[in-house]
C-alpha cells in the first residue's frame, strides 16, 4: 500500500500527460491547469527539505564534536542571520539581505569555481601526455580549438586557424557529439518509459 | 637531471603563480585585439535584431519579444554575465521587447544586476513597457511554466518580480504566447536550453538560443545543425562577439548602418574597442577578458609542450637504461 | 564609502578562497562554511515570498480556494523524508511531481532522438556531410556492445574512436577556455572594482 498508491499516482498522471501532449482538447488543457495550480501549492514545501538537511548535518557535527566542528556554527549562524535579514528588512535591492548575497555569497561562489583555472593549468603541465596515438589526436584538437578561440591565434597563424577550428567543431566534433547524444537521448526515453510503466521505482526510495 | 626533468618536479604552486601573472598583466595593460564573430553568434544577433520595431512603428505595438532565462548562479557569472549585459543592451538600444525569468533563487539578484547595469545608460527604457522582469519562480514550476507560456504567458507567469499582474502591463499588448515571444535565450552552465528544446520547441515550435559556458559549447553542435538551437553564445568568446555586434550595429550613430552586414564587420575602425574611451568598460568586459584569455591559452599550450618534452626525454632515458 | 567597504568585504572573502591554493587553512574553511550558510539562508525568505505567499497563502486565505489545502497538505509530507518510520509519506509529493514524466516520453523522443536522426540523414552532398555520416555511424557501432570489437568490425569502430577523440579534444579546449574565463572574472573584480587599476 505504501508503495502502490504513489506508484498508481505516477502511472495515472503519466498517461494523462501523454494524452495532454497529443490531444489539443479543452479537457486536456483543463487537466493541465488543475495540475499546475496544485503543483504551485505544493512547491514551497520542497525547499524545507534542503534546509532541514543542512540543519541536521551541522547540528550533528557540533553535537559529536567532529574535527573542525566549530565551522558548522558559522554555517548555522550565517543561515539564520541571512534568513532573518530577509524577513526583517525585505528582499529587495538595497536591503541587508541583498547586501549579504551580493558581497558575501556571490563573490565566494564565483571564486570557488575560478580555482579550477589553476588546477587545469597544473594538470596540463603534469598530466596531459601524448601517451598514445589517440591521446595525441585529442591534444592536437584541443590545442587547435584553444588557439581558434582567442585573438592571438589569428595573429600567430593567420585566419586559417579559425577555419580549421570551425571545421573541427562542425564535422568530426558534430559527428562524435551526435553519436553520444543519440545514445543519451535513447537512454532518457527508456528511463522515462520505465518510470511511466512502473518498472523503475528507485525514486520512491527504499523500504516497503 | 636536465632542465626538462627538473621542471617535471616543480611544485605546483609555482605554476599557480605563473597562471596568476599571465592573467593579471594583460588585464592591467590594455591593448586592442580583433574579435572575430562566428556563425552561431551572428544568427542569434540577427534573429533578435529582427524583433526591433520599424522606424514608424511604436515599440509597444510590436508583436515580437525575447525571453532571457537566467539558469546559473554566481559561479559561472564571469562567462555568462557579459552575454546577458550585451543582449540587454541590444534590446534596450533597439527597443526590443524583452522579458527575464529564472527558476534559481541565486540567479534572481544576477538578473536585477544585469538589468540595472544596462538600464543606467538608457533612462528612457521603462519596466512594464520595454521590458519586464518576471522574477524568480520556484524550480518545481519550471515545466508547468514552460508549457503554460505556450498557451498564455500572462496566465502562466501570473505576477512579475515587482508583484504586478502580467496581464495588466502595457508591454503585453500583442504578446500572448510563443508565437510572439518567439525566442528563448537560456543562459546556463549545465542545461543549454535542454528543457526549452524538449518542451517549448517540440510542442510549440518556439526558437531556442543558448548562452553556455565554454565547457558545454562543443556538445551543442548537433543541436545547432538541426536548428533545435537557433544560435549559441559560447563562453567569454561568445560574449565578446556579441558585444562587438552591438557596438558595430545596434548602437551605431548612423541609423542607416544598424542592419547587420558582413562588410561593416570587416571595417577595422571597430577594432579599437578596448582602448576606445567612448565605450564603457561594462560593455566591453568580455573583450578585455579575451586579452587575458589569449595569454592564458598560450601559457597552457606551452605547459602541455614542456610537460610532454619532459615526458618523452624521461621515457627515452628509461629505454636506454633498459 | 559604503560601496568601498562592501567591495573590500567581497575582496577579503575572495582572497580567503584563493588562499586554498597555498594550502588548506582556517580562512578558507571559514569562507567555505559561511558560503553554505548564506546560500541556504537566502532561499528561505525568497521561497516564502515568491512561492508560499502567492501560491498557498493568498489563494487559501484571500480567495478562499480551500481545495488547495489538499496539495498544501501533500507538500508538507515532504518533511517525513527524514523520519525512518514515516518516510513512505514523502512518496506522495514526489509521485505527484513525477507524473510529468508522461510528457517526457514523447517529447524527449522527438527532441533528442528523432530530430537528431533526421539531422543525420540529410543527403550527402559534400565531403563534410559524408564525414559526419561516417562518424555518426561508426560511433553508434562503437556503443553497440553485443558484438566483440574484433576483425573488420573492430577496425570500423576504431574510426569511431578517432572521431570521439577529436570531439573530446574540442571539449577539452573549450573547457580550458571556460576555467580561465572564470578566473579572469574574479581578477577583473579585484583589479578593477577593488583596486581601481583599470578604469
Amino acid at each position: 500500500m505504501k508503495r502502490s498508491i504513489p506508484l498508481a499516482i505516477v502511472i495515472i498522471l503519466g498517461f494523462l500527460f501523454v494524452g495532454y501532449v497529443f490531444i489539443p482538447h479543452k479537457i486536456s488543457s483543463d487537466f493541465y491547469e488543475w495540475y499546475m495550480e496544485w503543483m504551485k501549492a505544493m512547491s514551497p514545501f520542497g525547499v524545507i527539505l534542503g534546509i532541514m538537511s543542512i540543519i541536521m548535518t551541522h547540528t550533528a557535527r557540533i553535537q559529536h564534536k567532529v574535527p573542525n566542528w566549530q565551522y558548522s556554527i558559522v554555517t548555522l549562524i550565517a543561515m539564520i542571520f541571512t534568513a532573518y535579514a530577509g524577513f526583517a528588512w525585505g528582499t529587495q535591492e538595497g536591503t541587508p539581505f541583498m547586501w549579504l548575497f551580493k558581497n558575501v555569497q556571490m563573490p565566494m561562489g564565483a571564486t570557488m569555481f575560478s580555482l579550477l583555472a589553476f588546477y587545469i593549468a597544473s594538470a596540463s603541465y603534469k598530466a596531459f601526455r601524448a601517451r598514445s596515438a589517440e591521446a595525441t589526436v585529442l591534444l592536437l584538437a584541443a590545442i587547435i580549438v584553444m588557439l581558434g578561440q582567442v585573438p592571438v591565434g589569428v595573429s600567430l597563424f593567420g585566419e586559417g586557424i579559425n577555419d580549421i577550428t570551425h571545421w573541427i567543431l562542425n564535422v568530426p566534433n558534430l559527428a562524435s557529439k551526435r553519436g553520444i547524444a543519440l545514445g543519451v537521448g535513447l537512454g532518457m526515453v527508456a528511463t522515462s518509459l520505465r518510470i511511466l510503466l512502473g518498472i523503475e521505482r528507485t525514486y520512491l526510495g527504499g523500504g516497503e | 637531471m636536465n632542465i626538462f626533468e627538473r621542471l617535471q618536479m616543480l611544485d605546483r604552486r609555482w605554476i599557480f603563480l605563473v597562471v596568476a601573472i599571465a592573467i593579471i598583466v594583460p588585464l592591467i595593460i590594455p591593448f586592442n585585439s580583433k574579435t572575430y564573430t562566428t556563425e552561431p553568434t551572428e544568427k542569434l544577433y540577427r534573429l533578435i535584431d529582427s524583433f526591433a520595431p520599424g522606424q514608424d512603428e511604436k515599440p509597444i505595438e510590436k508583436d515580437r519579444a525575447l525571453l532571457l532565462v537566467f539558469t546559473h548562479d554566481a559561479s559561472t557569472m564571469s562567462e555568462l554575465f557579459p552575454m546577458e549585459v550585451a543582449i540587454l543592451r541590444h534590446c534596450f538600444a533597439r527597443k526590443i521587447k524583452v522579458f527575464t525569468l529564472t527558476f534559481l533563487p541565486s540567479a534572481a539578484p544576477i538578473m536585477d544586476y544585469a538589468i540595472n547595469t544596462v538600464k543606467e545608460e538608457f533612462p528612457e527604457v521603462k519596466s512594464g513597457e520595454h521590458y519586464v522582469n518576471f522574477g524568480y519562480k520556484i524550480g518545481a514550476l519550471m515545466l508547468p511554466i514552460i508549457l503554460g507560456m505556450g498557451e498564455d504567458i500572462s496566465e502562466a507567469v501570473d505576477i512579475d518580480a515587482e508583484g504586478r499582474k502580467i496581464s495588466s502591463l502595457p508591454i503585453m499588448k500583442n504578446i500572448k504566447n510563443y508565437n510572439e515571444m518567439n525566442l528563448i535565450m537560456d543562459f546556463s552552465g549545465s542545461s543549454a536550453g535542454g528543457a526549452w528544446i524538449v518542451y517549448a520547441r517540440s510542442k510549440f515550435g518556439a526558437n531556442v538560443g543558448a548562452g553556455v559556458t565554454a565547457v558545454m559549447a562543443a556538445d551543442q553542435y548537433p543541436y545547432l545543425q538541426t536548428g533545435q538551437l537557433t544560435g549559441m553564445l559560447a563562453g567569454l568568446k561568445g560574449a565578446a562577439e556579441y558585444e562587438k555586434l552591438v557596438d558595430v550595429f545596434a548602437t551605431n550613430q548612423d541609423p542607416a548602418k544598424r542592419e547587420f552586414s558582413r562588410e561593416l564587420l570587416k571595417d577595422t575602425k571597430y577594432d579599437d574597442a578596448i582602448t576606445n574611451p567612448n565605450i564603457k568598460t561594462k560593455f566591453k568586459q568580455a573583450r578585455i577578458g579575451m586579452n587575458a584569455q589569449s595569454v592564458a591559452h598560450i601559457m597552457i599550450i606551452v605547459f602541455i609542450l614542456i610537460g610532454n618534452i619532459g615526458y618523452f626525454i624521461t621515457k627515452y632515458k628509461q629505454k636506454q637504461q633498459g | 564609502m559604503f560601496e568601498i567597504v562592501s567591495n573590500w568585504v567581497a575582496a577579503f572573502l575572495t582572497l580567503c578562497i584563493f588562499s586554498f591554493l597555498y594550502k588548506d587553512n582556517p580562512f578558507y574553511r571559514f569562507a567555505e562554511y559561511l558560503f553554505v550558510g548564506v546560500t541556504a539562508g537566502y532561499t528561505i525568505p525568497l521561497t516564502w515570498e515568491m512561492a508560499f505567499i502567492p501560491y498557498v497563502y493568498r489563494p487559501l486565505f484571500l480567495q478562499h480556494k480551500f481545495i488547495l489545502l489538499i496539495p498544501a497538505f501533500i507538500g508538507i509530507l515532504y518533511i517525513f523524508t527524514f523520519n525512518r518510520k514515516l518516510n513512505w509519506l514523502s512518496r506522495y509529493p514526489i509521485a505527484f511531481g513525477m507524473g510529468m514524466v508522461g510528457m517526457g516520453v514523447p517529447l524527449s523522443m522527438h527532441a533528442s532522438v528523432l530530430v537528431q536522426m533526421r539531422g543525420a540523414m540529410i543527403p550527402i552532398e559534400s565531403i563534410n556531410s559524408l564525414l559526419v555520416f561516417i562518424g555518426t555511424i561508426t560511433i553508434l557501432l562503437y556503443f553497440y556492445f553485443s558484438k566483440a570489437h574484433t576483425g573488420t568490425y573492430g577496425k570500423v569502430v576504431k574510426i569511431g574512436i578517432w572521431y570521439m577523440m577529436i570531439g573530446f579534444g574540442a571539449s577539452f579546449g573549450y573547457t580550458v577556455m571556460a576555467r580561465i574565463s572564470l578566473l579572469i572574472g574574479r581578477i577583473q573584480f579585484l583589479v578593477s572594482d577593488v583596486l581601481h587599476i583599470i578604469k
Side-chain angles (χ1 to χ4, degrees):
Chain A
M1 267 317 257
K2 290 174 182 173
R3 235 167 211 284
S4 44
I5 295 175
L7 207 58
I9 294 176
V10 174
I11 294 171
I12 293 167
L13 281 174
F15 277 100
L16 286 172
F17 267 111
V18 174
Y20 170 73
V21 174
F22 291 110
I23 308 165
H25 188 271
K26 193 175 175 307
I27 297 176
S28 98
S29 56
D30 282 350
F31 154 72
Y32 179 74
E33 260 165 46
W34 162 81
Y35 180 81
M36 190 153 142
E37 202 172 28
W38 276 42
M39 270 308 276
K40 281 180 176 173
M42 241 180 264
S43 62
F45 302 98
V47 178
I48 300 175
L49 261 194
I51 304 299
M52 274 175 66
S53 157
I54 288 180
I55 295 175
M56 283 162 60
T57 312
H58 288 276
T59 41
R61 281 174 54 94
I62 295 167
Q63 271 170 356
H64 298 121
K65 299 255 186 315
V66 297
N68 295 322
W69 61 273
Q70 297 89 338
Y71 295 101
S72 287
I73 302 176
V74 175
T75 300
L76 291 178
I77 292 179
M79 184 175 91
I80 294 164
F81 185 75
T82 311
Y84 173 77
F87 287 117
W89 298 293
T91 58
Q92 298 304 311
E93 230 1 86
T95 55
F97 176 75
M98 261 311 145
W99 185 92
L100 270 174
F101 189 77
K102 279 193 174 164
N103 297 293
V104 177
Q105 203 275 355
M106 268 168 52
M108 284 197 287
T111 314
M112 293 244 187
F113 275 78
S114 76
L115 293 182
L116 293 171
F118 293 99
Y119 295 117
I120 206 161
S122 133
S124 47
Y125 186 72
K126 299 206 168 201
F128 299 143
R129 302 280 187 260
R131 282 177 216 277
S132 62
E134 284 93 340
T136 313
V137 170
L138 190 151
L139 279 180
L140 280 177
I143 289 175
I144 295 170
V145 170
M146 268 189 253
L147 287 171
Q149 298 303 317
V150 288
V152 73
V154 178
S155 318
L156 292 174
F157 300 96
E159 290 200 25
I161 195 84
N162 284 347
D163 299 333
I164 301 174
T165 308
H166 182 259
W167 182 82
I168 288 182
L169 290 170
N170 280 291
V171 180
N173 171 64
L174 185 145
S176 99
K177 298 294 153 64
R178 171 161 292 145
I180 296 168
L182 276 171
V184 173
L186 283 169
M188 254 163 54
V189 173
T191 310
S192 304
L193 206 59
R194 283 168 59 89
I195 295 174
L196 181 66
L197 298 175
I199 304 167
E200 169 71 53
R201 299 168 188 193
T202 45
Y203 62 92
L204 290 174
E208 41 169 323
Chain B
M1 226 198 261
N2 65 31
I3 179 149
F4 284 107
E5 284 169 293
R6 234 177 279 167
L7 278 174
Q8 297 239 306
M9 309 288 177
L10 200 65
D11 187 294
R12 66 179 182 181
R13 281 176 283 203
W14 289 106
I15 299 169
F16 294 167
L17 186 68
V18 176
V19 175
I21 294 170
I23 289 175
I24 294 171
V25 173
L27 286 179
I28 54 181
I29 306 171
F31 56 91
N32 285 315
S33 55
K34 190 173 163 74
T35 303
Y36 294 88
T37 53
T38 55
E39 207 189 328
T41 310
E42 287 171 6
K43 268 190 170 167
L44 264 184
Y45 180 87
R46 295 169 80 163
L47 181 63
I48 294 174
D49 203 63
S50 73
F51 293 176
Q55 284 195 329
D56 316 315
E57 202 176 358
K58 280 188 183 162
I60 215 145
E61 301 287 336
K62 187 72 191 176
D63 60 352
R64 279 285 180 275
L66 160 69
L67 173 67
L68 306 180
V69 186
F70 290 55
T71 314
H72 67 96
D73 58 12
S75 61
T76 47
M77 214 173 141
S78 305
E79 287 181 86
L80 303 173
F81 189 72
M83 296 177 189
E84 292 151 359
V85 166
I87 294 185
L88 280 167
R89 185 176 175 222
H90 182 191
C91 292
F92 288 177
R94 298 276 281 144
K95 303 290 171 287
I96 296 164
K97 288 182 176 178
V98 57
F99 305 114
T100 53
L101 170 69
T102 182
F103 296 104
L104 285 181
S106 46
I110 298 175
M111 212 153 63
D112 283 334
Y113 188 30
I115 294 170
N116 292 335
T117 303
V118 184
K119 217 177 115 180
E120 281 172 358
E121 313 303 322
F122 298 91
E124 75 284 6
V125 165
K126 286 191 179 66
S127 167
E129 210 172 296
H130 299 99
Y131 75 94
V132 175
N133 181 2
F134 289 159
Y136 156 64
K137 304 287 165 196
I138 202 151
L141 295 179
M142 184 169 165
L143 287 190
I145 288 180
I146 293 179
L147 290 162
M149 287 198 296
E151 317 266 340
D152 187 347
I153 298 166
S154 306
E155 208 171 286
V157 181
D158 203 15
I159 46 168
D160 77 347
E162 296 169 46
R164 299 174 294 187
K165 269 266 177 216
I166 303 287
S167 52
S168 68
L169 301 171
I171 193 175
M172 294 313 288
K173 192 174 179 193
N174 297 334
I175 306 286
K176 178 144 172 82
N177 51 37
Y178 294 127
N179 290 335
E180 293 82 30
M181 191 177 73
N182 202 235
L183 172 65
I184 297 117
M185 250 325 269
D186 184 40
F187 300 98
S188 160
S190 57
S191 72
W196 297 94
I197 293 178
V198 175
Y199 297 99
R201 179 153 185 89
S202 297
K203 191 159 161 63
F204 303 102
N207 286 306
V208 181
V212 294
T213 54
V215 176
M216 306 167 60
D219 295 348
Q220 310 313 320
Y221 280 82
Y223 300 96
L224 286 167
Q225 191 241 351
T226 53
Q228 285 167 292
L229 280 178
T230 304
M232 165 176 81
L233 301 184
L236 198 63
K237 164 104 185 336
E241 292 174 30
Y242 209 95
E243 279 180 355
K244 179 180 178 178
L245 292 172
V246 176
D247 267 349
V248 176
F249 305 110
T251 58
N252 201 312
Q253 299 298 325
D254 181 358
K257 287 184 176 166
R258 286 187 192 150
E259 286 294 310
F260 180 90
S261 92
R262 231 166 269 283
E263 284 311 304
L264 200 58
L265 261 184
K266 284 182 189 148
D267 195 336
T268 48
K269 80 171 182 190
Y270 297 107
D271 293 340
D272 70 340
I274 293 172
T275 52
N276 184 346
N278 296 326
I279 303 172
K280 298 218 157 163
T281 307
K282 61 184 173 187
F283 296 139
K284 53 186 178 191
Q285 202 81 10
R287 281 171 290 181
I288 295 171
M290 282 311 284
N291 279 348
Q293 196 90 46
S294 277
V295 178
H297 280 200
I298 297 294
M299 171 197 74
I300 298 267
I301 292 168
V302 170
F303 280 170
I304 293 177
L305 291 180
I306 296 177
N308 275 288
I309 293 171
Y311 166 72
F312 281 111
I313 289 176
T314 318
K315 212 167 114 175
Y316 176 73
K317 277 196 175 168
Q318 280 171 348
K319 219 176 184 180
Q320 272 194 332
Q321 284 163 3
Chain C
M1 182 60 197
F2 183 65
E3 204 191 324
I4 296 173
V5 175
S6 305
N7 274 340
W8 277 99
V9 170
F12 170 73
L13 293 169
T14 300
L15 293 174
C16 283
I17 305 272
F18 275 143
S19 71
F20 184 75
L21 290 169
Y22 187 72
K23 64 177 188 186
D24 195 2
N25 65 75
F27 285 102
Y28 171 76
R29 253 177 269 145
F30 167 78
E32 190 190 9
Y33 282 76
L34 181 69
F35 175 71
V36 175
V38 174
T39 309
Y42 176 75
T43 52
I44 302 170
L46 221 57
T47 307
W48 175 266
E49 212 169 86
M50 304 304 280
F52 186 79
I53 298 287
Y55 303 138
V56 182
Y57 176 83
R58 231 178 271 154
L60 266 180
F61 296 101
L62 303 180
Q63 297 159 2
H64 305 295
K65 286 188 186 169
F66 294 116
I67 186 80
L68 290 183
L69 278 170
I70 303 173
F73 175 74
I74 300 177
I76 290 172
L77 297 180
Y78 265 126
I79 58 174
F80 290 104
T81 307
F82 298 111
N83 185 306
R84 235 172 254 156
K85 275 193 184 147
L86 293 174
N87 71 1
W88 59 274
L89 282 170
S90 69
R91 287 175 188 158
Y92 283 86
I94 295 172
F96 204 86
M98 199 54 96
M100 282 197 133
V101 78
M103 201 159 36
V105 175
L107 293 181
S108 321
M109 187 73 192
H110 178 262
S112 313
V113 181
L114 297 179
V115 179
Q116 282 303 317
M117 278 168 66
R118 192 174 62 201
M121 289 188 274
I122 49 168
I124 296 171
E125 286 162 340
S126 64
I127 294 181
N128 282 343
S129 47
L130 176 69
L131 288 173
V132 171
F133 178 74
I134 293 173
T136 311
I137 296 291
T138 50
I139 291 166
L140 286 175
L141 287 175
Y142 173 81
F143 283 112
Y144 181 68
F145 293 117
S146 303
K147 189 169 159 58
H149 292 176
T150 50
T152 317
Y153 186 70
K155 281 184 188 132
V156 172
V157 300
K158 186 91 183 159
I159 300 173
I161 297 178
W162 288 94
Y163 269 91
M164 278 193 282
M165 286 302 145
I166 301 178
F168 292 146
S171 290
F172 171 54
Y174 261 129
T175 303
V176 169
M177 169 159 143
R179 301 303 182 225
I180 299 285
S181 302
L182 298 183
L183 181 60
I184 289 173
R186 291 323 290 156
I187 306 246
Q188 274 180 327
F189 164 72
L190 288 176
V191 295
S192 139
D193 296 4
V194 182
L195 300 174
H196 300 285
I197 296 174
I198 322 174
K199 286 282 176 291

